[in-house]
Amino acid sequence: MSQSQLRAKARRLIAAANELLAIAHELELNEGGPVPGEASAPYSAKDSPVWAEVARSSYRERRHRSEIFDDQTLFGEPAWDIMLDLFIAAKERKRLPVTSACIGAAVPVTTALRWLTVLEDKGLIVRENDAADARRVFVRLSTDGYEKMITYFSSVAGNMRQDEEIEPPALRMAN
């Protein structure tokens, strides 16, 4: 089996595992039955837990590319690096300080801060003051920014599925 076929199967396994985890989590939340007066939100296949791993992989590949070409500035896309970093943090339910977002962009702090301002002006991110420490500011994806990241990764996954030959589930289990 070729390396690309192994990677494709690994991606499908990761996606299936994440899907099972999401279903288990949903079942665990609904174990006591639905809360009266509250509509239960079904799991949306569009917003999958797998997107965090896809984003993480994309971010790692970007860093690796710069290492191989021995030039951190050659492939710079600070806005995308920031969006990936914030998306991963959102999926992990973590708060990201502005300083961490700047480091994750792999550019000088002043450049990263400029890009944070651009992303904020476009409504893709939101800055929030830390109530416990006035010196610290957190940054997160706005609702619109998060939805656009989900749309992007859903689209990429759809394209990947079209590029790969996917067997029906019954045949996949039989093999």
Side-chain angles (χ1 to χ4, degrees):
M1 193 175 289
S2 75
Q3 191 71 359
S4 65
Q5 289 173 321
L6 287 173
R7 282 191 185 123
K9 285 189 183 242
R11 281 195 309 266
R12 287 197 306 263
L13 281 172
I14 290 169
N18 279 320
E19 181 78 15
L20 289 172
L21 286 171
I23 292 168
H25 180 67
E26 182 181 330
L27 290 172
E28 189 176 48
L29 289 176
N30 293 328
E31 191 173 86
V35 177
E38 184 177 310
S40 93
Y43 174 76
S44 167
K46 186 178 176 189
D47 187 359
S48 171
V50 77
W51 302 153
E53 186 53 40
V54 173
R56 212 176 279 109
S57 176
S58 176
Y59 187 83
R60 274 193 308 267
E61 288 171 9
R62 292 175 58 69
R63 298 284 80 79
H64 185 64
R65 184 176 57 181
S66 294
E67 290 170 13
I68 288 175
F69 286 91
D70 197 27
D71 189 342
Q72 297 296 319
T73 62
L74 191 58
F75 300 109
E77 276 187 283
W80 184 239
D81 287 337
I82 290 168
M83 296 291 288
L84 284 171
D85 204 9
L86 293 176
F87 182 73
I88 293 165
K91 295 302 271 178
E92 294 175 346
R93 301 196 189 296
K94 292 182 181 176
R95 296 179 80 193
L96 197 66
V98 167
T99 53
S100 295
C102 289
I103 292 167
V107 292
V109 174
T110 53
T111 302
L113 288 171
R114 272 195 309 275
W115 278 107
L116 284 171
T117 300
V118 168
L119 293 170
E120 188 175 30
D121 290 345
K122 293 194 174 288
L124 297 171
I125 68 165
V126 176
R127 294 184 207 226
E128 300 170 329
N129 293 326
D130 184 351
D133 184 350
R135 297 170 296 174
R136 186 166 54 179
V137 176
F138 290 105
V139 64
R140 66 174 175 79
L141 289 175
S142 66
T143 304
D144 186 44
Y146 184 82
E147 285 300 316
K148 286 182 178 176
M149 293 298 282
I150 292 296
T151 301
Y152 171 78
F153 286 114
S154 295
S155 170
V156 168
N159 292 340
M160 285 170 42
R161 278 190 223 111
Q162 289 173 4
D163 291 346
E164 297 173 1
E165 183 178 317
I166 297 180
E167 305 167 6
L171 290 177
R172 230 185 353 247
M173 288 180 181
N175 290 334

